[in-house]
Amino acid sequence: MFRIKKTQGRARSGELSLQRGVIQTPCFMPIATKGAVKSLDVSDLKHLGAQMILSNTYHLLLRPGQEAMQRHGGMPSLMGWDGPMLTDSGGYQVFSLSKMNKTTDEGVTFASHINGRKIHLSPESSIAMQQAIGADVMMQFDDVAAGQAPRARVEEAMQRSLSWAQRCLIARTSNQKLFGIVQGGVYEDLRTTSANALTQMDFDGFAIGGLSVGEKREDTYRMSELVADLLPATKPRYFMGGGMPEEIVFYVNAGVDMFDCVLPTRNARHGTLFVWTGQPEHINWSMNPTDFYERLRVGNEMYQFDDSVIDAHCGCHTCKTVSRAYLRHLFATGELLAFRLASIHNLAFYMRLMSSLRAYIGSQSI
Amino acid sequence: MFRIKKTQGRARSGELSLQRGVIQTPCFMPIATKGAVKSLDVSDLKHLGAQMILSNTYHLLLRPGQEAMQRHGGMPSLMGWDGPMLTDSGGYQVFSLSKMNKTTDEGVTFASHINGRKIHLSPESSIAMQQAIGADVMMQFDDVAAGQAPRARVEEAMQRSLSWAQRCLIARTSNQKLFGIVQGGVYEDLRTTSANALTQMDFDGFAIGGLSVGEKREDTYRMSELVADLLPATKPRYFMGGGMPEEIVFYVNAGVDMFDCVLPTRNARHGTLFVWTGQPEHINWSMNPTDFYERLRVGNEMYQFDDSVIDAHCGCHTCKTVSRAYLRHLFATGELLAFRLASIHNLAFYMRLMSSLRAYIGSQSI
């Protein structure tokens, strides 16, 4: 299922074989929360070179619901996406979106953020919903402690997530892949306990969860390195929900293979574009550089008469067809097209970042 | 500039040669109000077969303004559209969007609907702004009476529009084409006075204005036929702001050559899609049919599990790539992508309507 092709220090490039296709790692998964990457369609994703996308179990459970997903034969079928898909388990959204939730060892009861309706999620019902969505890779249902939670709460969430991990493996009745999630906040011993216990279970891959939730970046970095080193070399490693471009470079150099993040599309909708400061193929990624891009706030008045391309080092649809001045005009006048063009560029930036990282791994003498 | 190729009764198909290209008539112009057809980019318009687009002087005067348009070298340059463009004069928007406006023989003073700023438009300043936008075809500045206005007000608006027509011709200093606009509400004698006076002036084409503003459809039909008959056969005729598909068929059969309307894109954003009831090439357009399409409200629950195409007779990007069920899901979950996919389909419907009408003209024995 997962084959490592080359390594560079701890970084590795590989091939992950899934039901709907083979993807090259390290890879970034654009987020199709409710079955659509915001403002983009499937042919846009194909043009961008997206290999795999992510959908959110929590959102799809609310709308269209599990029965609808079953009748549609899953979200890939409904949206016409023939590539691989991963679904999260709903655990993180319960923690981040729903204000009224009650967690016991059995599961979580929460109020829908749309209409307040009471919904219950457990390891078993999360897996059932993920099977209905029909993604290639499912995630275990986990209990996520907030970044500022006291150690006792972090430990409880970690231990509970371990017991839920077992229940998810038992609950699975399909041949979809299932990943376990390492928890434990910013505590080395808790992370170690979690990783060691999880890797004794029969998961197809492992995720580093519960980071990028408000802790200091140095802690995120320290924990991701620690956990990556504890995970088996032969299985794919997925950092959940991160992050900025320089963070992804760091995690890749720590040995992580898969990523997802709202940053490229969310920044795009707010008019912030990622722009290369130089040719990405010339960057020495082994040094964990941070100065390889700038954030261009294209709505800024200074771009009103700037008829240059958004990014001279990018060949995406947006950079090939519109100027900074036109994109600025679209944001200034509130045109929907602005979101689309900016999203295409930012996702192209992330796709290029990953292909550049893949090319770098194994290309240099160690 | 305008060459009639074939006729069918009063209907005519022709070729309009403009600065940025030659267009086939009858034609429909998608509306790029502020320099973008809502949610679509220039390559989308090219794929749809849009020949010519329309931008609004009023909106562009507010943002980005005349000086910006001059510095950008016009809107076609800013947006990267290399085909023909038409601009309206701002007269209609002053009447429809701005609540506080004061009209004298000199011009109109009104408050911006964005920030309340006082703005003045006259025949001279409208032409100056349209020259800055740089469209191939400009429209005269006109005074538009509301559909329910008393006859005295309609007559005043018509007479004032005639005097403004002269001033627009004098004000023009570019080689852009300029069209006059026939006014006169639903009064045959006023329409006749307006058309006869305007056609004595040196315009490049003529528009039928001040209709589809709340009057009965039978009055719209009667006036459009009356005016089309009064206009010179050798110059292009443009019905402003209309209409539903069956109305466009009627106007084409009355001898009108050019159209614009917000209906396809506005309906799309509200989830209403135009769907052919049969193969458009088999329709006998000479009979002014009304049953050649249906309105499909795709957000309706009945489409939740309908995995058929939106329109079996359409080959647009939307119909080729998504089902009714998926588009319904996108509307139900408020995804921006819904607006884009629906807009592509409805514009494809209008483009196909026009090409089908062009094919019909001259293809049958009279």
Side-chain angles (χ1 to χ4, degrees):
Chain A
M1 173 213 180
F2 185 56
R3 184 171 72 84
I4 292 171
K5 296 197 294 186
K6 290 182 177 173
T7 60
Q8 187 80 40
R10 285 158 161 164
R12 57 257 196 101
S13 68
E15 228 171 50
L16 183 60
S17 299
L18 298 165
Q19 204 175 326
R20 285 191 191 75
V22 177
I23 63 165
Q24 306 300 316
T25 63
C27 84
F28 180 85
M29 300 175 279
I31 301 184
T33 301
K34 296 176 279 185
V37 175
K38 290 199 191 311
S39 81
L40 304 186
D41 68 22
V42 163
S43 65
D44 295 321
L45 297 174
K46 292 283 179 191
H47 287 141
L48 282 164
Q51 304 183 79
M52 186 165 179
I53 59 175
L54 181 150
S55 276
N56 294 112
T57 294
Y58 170 88
H59 289 98
L60 295 179
L61 186 65
L62 303 189
R63 286 187 309 206
Q66 185 165 335
E67 197 196 320
M69 279 285 92
Q70 268 151 354
R71 284 189 61 180
H72 285 303
M75 183 47 86
S77 160
L78 177 60
M79 70 186 285
W81 170 255
D82 63 2
M85 179 184 277
L86 180 147
T87 40
D88 64 6
S89 64
Y92 179 77
Q93 273 75 28
V94 169
F95 149 70
S96 64
L97 286 179
S98 174
K99 289 199 178 66
M100 294 168 58
N101 62 69
K102 185 165 175 287
T103 307
T104 67
D105 287 340
E106 202 286 318
V108 186
T109 303
F110 61 94
S112 156
H113 76 282
I114 298 171
N115 55 17
R117 184 164 57 96
K118 278 253 157 76
I119 300 178
H120 183 71
L121 260 184
S122 65
E124 292 74 20
S125 63
S126 170
I127 292 295
M129 180 60 189
Q130 291 188 75
Q131 291 188 170
I133 301 173
D136 302 65
V137 176
M138 305 186 290
M139 300 305 299
Q140 75 149 99
F141 191 62
D142 55 349
D143 184 9
V144 184
Q148 289 78 19
R151 183 186 158 100
R153 164 68 190 127
V154 175
E155 186 166 7
E156 176 200 54
M158 181 272 286
Q159 291 290 0
R160 185 175 278 145
S161 294
L162 284 180
S163 105
W164 288 359
Q166 290 277 20
R167 284 165 57 189
C168 286
L169 281 167
I170 294 165
R172 172 177 54 169
T173 57
S174 69
N175 57 4
Q176 291 160 277
K177 305 295 179 193
L178 182 57
F179 283 19
I181 305 177
V182 177
Q183 292 289 356
V186 295
Y187 304 100
E188 291 185 18
D189 59 328
L190 299 184
R191 286 278 169 187
T192 304
T193 303
S194 175
N196 287 340
L198 271 180
T199 51
Q200 299 303 311
M201 304 182 202
D202 188 25
F203 282 109
D204 303 298
F206 297 95
I208 306 171
L211 290 177
S212 284
V213 290
E215 76 286 359
K216 288 184 207 141
R217 192 182 281 188
E218 63 197 62
D219 287 331
T220 327
Y221 279 4
R222 195 164 47 88
M223 289 300 117
S224 61
E225 275 194 313
L226 172 86
V227 174
D229 281 350
L230 292 169
L231 293 175
T234 54
K235 289 191 175 173
R237 303 166 183 160
Y238 163 31
F239 186 100
M240 301 185 80
M244 288 296 285
E246 69 277 15
E247 294 180 87
I248 289 191
V249 174
F250 183 92
Y251 305 141
V252 165
N253 278 325
V256 179
D257 309 299
M258 300 166 68
F259 302 91
D260 77 286
C261 193
V262 294
L263 281 175
T265 41
R266 183 177 291 163
N267 272 280
R269 293 196 301 280
H270 291 102
T272 299
L273 282 83
F274 297 101
V275 172
W276 296 101
T277 50
Q279 200 66 28
E281 285 68 29
H282 297 160
I283 298 165
N284 183 356
W285 295 115
S286 65
M287 306 299 289
N288 284 328
T290 58
D291 59 351
F292 58 90
Y293 73 99
E294 283 169 357
R295 276 176 282 184
L296 187 151
R297 294 203 44 87
V298 77
N300 200 302
E301 190 149 3
M302 68 185 281
Y303 299 115
Q304 194 181 358
F305 299 109
D306 186 346
D307 59 5
S308 57
V309 295
I310 312 291
D311 184 339
H313 298 287
C314 180
C316 78
H317 174 72
T318 303
C319 287
K320 276 193 290 193
T321 57
V322 303
S323 65
R324 294 175 176 192
Y326 182 55
L327 193 50
R328 193 258 170 202
H329 171 72
L330 295 179
F331 272 105
T333 53
E335 285 289 336
L336 292 180
L337 179 57
F339 304 145
R340 168 177 167 75
L341 293 175
S343 295
I344 287 175
H345 171 75
N346 276 359
L347 282 175
F349 178 95
Y350 268 68
M351 292 298 139
R352 183 84 168 278
L353 173 64
M354 303 318 291
S355 64
S356 175
L357 284 164
R358 288 196 296 271
Y360 134 77
I361 296 170
S363 68
Q364 303 180 329
S365 54
I366 302 171
Chain B
M1 174 210 179
F2 184 58
R3 184 172 72 84
I4 291 170
K5 296 197 295 188
K6 290 180 176 173
T7 59
Q8 187 81 38
R10 284 157 160 164
R12 56 257 198 101
S13 68
E15 227 170 51
L16 183 60
S17 300
L18 298 165
Q19 205 174 324
R20 285 191 190 75
V22 177
I23 63 166
Q24 306 300 317
T25 63
C27 83
F28 180 84
M29 299 176 280
I31 301 185
T33 302
K34 297 175 278 184
V37 176
K38 290 197 192 312
S39 79
L40 303 185
D41 68 21
V42 163
S43 64
D44 295 322
L45 297 173
K46 291 285 180 190
H47 287 140
L48 281 164
Q51 304 182 80
M52 186 166 180
I53 59 175
L54 181 150
S55 275
N56 293 111
T57 294
Y58 170 88
H59 289 97
L60 295 178
L61 186 65
L62 304 188
R63 286 186 309 203
Q66 186 164 333
E67 198 196 321
M69 277 286 91
Q70 269 151 353
R71 285 189 60 180
H72 285 303
M75 182 47 85
S77 161
L78 177 60
M79 69 185 286
W81 170 255
D82 64 1
M85 178 183 276
L86 179 147
T87 40
D88 64 6
S89 64
Y92 180 76
Q93 273 74 28
V94 169
F95 147 71
S96 63
L97 288 180
S98 175
K99 290 200 177 65
M100 294 168 57
N101 64 68
K102 184 166 176 287
T103 308
T104 68
D105 286 341
E106 202 286 317
V108 186
T109 303
F110 62 94
S112 156
H113 76 282
I114 298 172
N115 56 18
R117 183 164 56 97
K118 277 252 156 77
I119 299 178
H120 184 72
L121 261 182
S122 66
E124 291 75 20
S125 63
S126 170
I127 292 296
M129 180 61 190
Q130 290 188 77
Q131 291 188 169
I133 301 173
D136 302 65
V137 176
M138 306 187 289
M139 301 305 298
Q140 75 150 97
F141 191 62
D142 56 348
D143 184 9
V144 184
Q148 289 78 18
R151 182 186 159 100
R153 166 65 191 130
V154 175
E155 184 164 9
E156 175 199 55
M158 181 273 284
Q159 289 291 0
R160 185 176 279 145
S161 295
L162 284 179
S163 107
W164 288 359
Q166 288 278 19
R167 284 165 58 188
C168 287
L169 282 166
I170 294 165
R172 172 176 56 168
T173 57
S174 70
N175 58 6
Q176 292 160 276
K177 305 295 180 196
L178 182 57
F179 283 20
I181 305 175
V182 177
Q183 292 290 358
V186 295
Y187 304 100
E188 289 185 21
D189 59 327
L190 299 184
R191 287 276 170 188
T192 304
T193 303
S194 176
N196 287 340
L198 271 179
T199 52
Q200 299 303 310
M201 304 183 204
D202 189 25
F203 282 109
D204 303 298
F206 297 94
I208 306 171
L211 290 177
S212 282
V213 291
E215 77 284 358
K216 288 184 206 142
R217 190 182 281 188
E218 64 196 61
D219 287 332
T220 327
Y221 279 3
R222 194 164 48 88
M223 288 300 117
S224 59
E225 275 194 313
L226 171 87
V227 174
D229 281 349
L230 291 168
L231 294 175
T234 55
K235 290 192 174 171
R237 303 166 184 162
Y238 164 31
F239 186 100
M240 302 184 80
M244 288 297 284
E246 70 277 16
E247 293 180 87
I248 290 192
V249 174
F250 183 93
Y251 305 141
V252 164
N253 278 324
V256 179
D257 310 299
M258 301 166 69
F259 302 91
D260 77 285
C261 193
V262 295
L263 281 176
T265 41
R266 183 177 290 164
N267 273 280
R269 292 196 302 280
H270 291 103
T272 299
L273 282 83
F274 297 101
V275 171
W276 297 102
T277 49
Q279 199 65 29
E281 286 67 30
H282 298 162
I283 298 165
N284 182 358
W285 295 116
S286 65
M287 304 301 288
N288 285 328
T290 59
D291 57 352
F292 58 89
Y293 72 98
E294 281 170 357
R295 274 175 285 184
L296 186 150
R297 295 204 43 89
V298 77
N300 201 303
E301 191 149 3
M302 69 184 281
Y303 299 115
Q304 193 180 358
F305 299 108
D306 186 346
D307 60 5
S308 57
V309 297
I310 312 290
D311 184 339
H313 299 285
C314 178
C316 79
H317 173 73
T318 303
C319 288
K320 275 193 293 193
T321 57
V322 302
S323 65
R324 294 176 176 191
Y326 183 54
L327 193 51
R328 193 258 171 202
H329 171 71
L330 295 178
F331 272 105
T333 53
E335 286 288 335
L336 293 179
L337 180 57
F339 304 144
R340 167 177 168 74
L341 292 175
S343 296
I344 286 174
H345 172 74
N346 275 358
L347 282 176
F349 178 95
Y350 269 68
M351 292 299 138
R352 181 86 169 278
L353 172 66
M354 302 318 292
S355 63
S356 175
L357 284 163
R358 287 195 297 270
Y360 134 77
I361 295 169
S363 69
Q364 304 181 326
S365 54
I366 303 172

